[in-house]
Amino acid sequence: MRATSLLDAYRLVPVVALDAADQAVPLARALVEGGIACIEVTLRTDAALDAIQAIAEKVPGMTVGAGTIKTVQDIGRAVSAGARFLVSPGTTTELLDEAENWEPPLLPGAATASECMALELRGYTRIKCFPAHSPTGLAFISAMAGPMPALSFCPSGGVNLGNFREYLALPNVFAVSGSFLAPPDLIAAGAFDDITNLARQCTALLSAPDP
């Protein structure tokens, strides 16, 4: 499914790099308790695939995906571990071709109008905007609504507690993702109650008036 609706159900997607697989289940449960039911585990650590598998098997209320997908081999390994969606920081022809052979949808990364045009021609309507928080980040996403109204974005990279609602206020943003939803220092400290409280704070802000 290129034009997938899977991620449309989630407005907040924590992005995590886990150093130990045993962090995965308590983290996922803490997020679910706080009202967040989607997580992107990046393939930046040796524990990533085991973490994805643990969440997929032991936390049924959490939709787990794999991030930092950069090679065709990454796709196969992530899907085999139980990833229900895939996220890439950018795109290559090889990556897009391989993604068509697998059921879990790919959220491909783009940072320019040309990249967005190429992805739209391939049938993608959900795109990760990375890195989003640049001097022109908000303006870029907003401007894309004119020439490419079918596209919807998930900004990532520099999105934080102070600005995530600005992105979500844009009509062509379906979700935001980032480590601010599950900060690395809290994960390392095993402060999962704090992560639950942060998740509750962020989900409560979703229903607050637009910034």
Side-chain angles (χ1 to χ4, degrees), residues 40-167:
E40 175 189 333
V41 178
T42 64
L43 301 188
R44 301 178 192 174
T45 68
D46 292 338
L49 294 174
D50 287 340
I52 290 170
Q53 183 175 357
I55 294 171
E57 292 177 352
K58 298 179 181 179
V59 191
M62 176 64 76
T63 297
V64 60
T68 319
I69 297 290
K70 297 189 295 182
T71 69
V72 295
Q73 293 79 13
D74 287 341
I75 293 177
R77 288 193 289 259
V79 175
S80 295
R84 293 187 58 198
F85 64 93
L86 309 166
V87 185
S88 62
T91 53
T92 64
T93 300
E94 292 79 8
L95 199 64
L96 297 177
D97 288 344
E98 180 66 15
E100 294 182 1
N101 298 322
W102 299 87
E103 182 178 354
L106 173 69
L107 181 65
T112 68
S114 295
E115 291 172 324
C116 290
M117 288 172 61
L119 287 169
E120 187 174 27
L121 287 174
R122 292 285 299 241
Y124 286 91
T125 60
R126 304 294 185 274
I127 295 173
K128 173 180 178 176
C129 179
F130 178 82
H133 195 52
S134 65
T136 59
L138 279 167
F140 170 75
I141 295 172
S142 180
M144 289 301 97
M148 296 177 229
L151 300 186
S152 190
F153 294 90
C154 176
S156 188
V159 180
N160 57 50
L161 190 62
N163 65 23
F164 80 92
R165 292 178 66 237
E166 294 182 71
Y167 288 98

